[in-house]
Amino acid sequence: MIPIISIIIPCFNSEITLESTLESVLNQEFQNWEAIIINDGSVDKTEEIALNWSKNDNRFRYFSKQNEGLSKTRNYGIAKSKGEYILPLDSDNQLKKDFVSNAIIVFEKDSSVGVVYGDAEYFGERTGSWNVENFDLQKMLLNNYIDACAIYKKKIWEQVGGYDEKMPFQGHEDWELWLALGILNVKFHHLKKTTFRYFVSNNSMIRSFTDEMLKSNQDYIAKKYSNCYQNQYAKLYLKVKEKDIEYDENLKSEKFVINLFFKTFFGFTVFKQKKIKNN
């Protein structure tokens, strides 16, 4: 039977968390899946654990390669997948049992949907909920707020050329993918419920990110999608022009528009502002 969905699980020294992650796949209400486990150069017992699972259930498929990082590993696994839909799953996170079944219902009801995602529940060294918002391209241009653990059609991954393997530092591959899909007007559907558990550890890759590394990735994104940033600036400028609001003369200046743009996308202003008069 050809699987409907392929769950892509890159692993690097994942012996502590991998069992629980695979257990969450096995416990899905929707059972027509394959799980592709890719060992990205681990030196612990990751391979032993993965091989054991693949021997007991042939829906778990195991591959091993040299360490190349998250983007290349995800692309490697997706290229070997057979499903119509893709679900990237980090080897320390855990799926809620109804995530896949709920997503499939959405895709079947609305063929225009390309991505289905939800909220998350923290566990490990942090607890609580991670509640996200509906997809908005302008907000996504500022920063990523949707985790990689979402379900999307494989054909749209092919359409944008997969995860970008040229990012200066791994860790923002999902951000870049969401931008690429957003520019193509792919429809995102937010389930508005918890769909997975997100593991927080002091050893998490994101904890090792420095400000310089973050800036390098942000600069890369800004250059790659400069046309999109410019188009959104133009829309913002026209929106301001169309508003029938009494502004102070200085606030009608080009400086105000520039400030509004930087405030929207980057969280700061360039020029000192005067107060807006009350209507």
Side-chain angles (χ1 to χ4, degrees), residues 243-258:
K243 282 188 176 180
D244 186 21
I245 299 176
E246 297 264 338
Y247 286 111
D248 180 77
E249 282 188 6
N250 289 334
L251 291 179
K252 287 185 177 180
S253 70
E254 184 178 343
K255 289 182 178 180
F256 170 67
V257 179
I258 293 173

Side-chain angles (χ1 to χ4, degrees), residues 121-164:
E121 173 190 331
Y122 293 114
F123 75 106
E125 296 180 11
R126 177 179 176 179
T127 58
S129 299
W130 174 11
N131 299 317
V132 298
E133 300 177 17
N134 292 336
F135 180 83
D136 181 271
L137 182 56
Q138 286 189 347
K139 183 172 182 179
M140 189 60 68
L141 284 167
L142 177 60
N143 58 61
N144 185 29
Y145 58 94
I146 299 175
D147 190 76
C149 190
I151 300 175
Y152 54 82
K153 293 176 178 176
K154 184 178 180 179
K155 66 180 181 181
I156 63 175
W157 170 85
E158 295 171 338
Q159 192 172 354
V160 298
Y163 290 96
D164 191 333

Side-chain angles (χ1 to χ4, degrees), residues 186-237:
V186 169
K187 186 175 180 179
F188 285 67
H189 180 92
H190 182 205
L191 286 173
K192 294 182 173 60
K193 64 181 300 181
T194 301
T195 55
F196 72 104
R197 302 182 73 214
Y198 184 93
F199 183 63
V200 180
S201 167
N202 284 329
N203 297 323
S204 299
M205 181 176 62
I206 198 65
R207 297 290 183 91
S208 64
F209 246 69
T210 65
D211 291 341
E212 290 76 15
M213 293 166 69
L214 176 60
K215 186 177 185 304
S216 292
N217 281 356
Q218 288 175 329
D219 288 347
Y220 180 87
I221 291 285
K223 290 177 182 177
K224 183 171 183 178
Y225 295 105
S226 59
N227 287 340
C228 184
Y229 280 99
Q230 291 172 17
N231 290 337
Q232 292 302 319
Y233 170 80
K235 290 179 182 179
L236 188 61
Y237 182 86

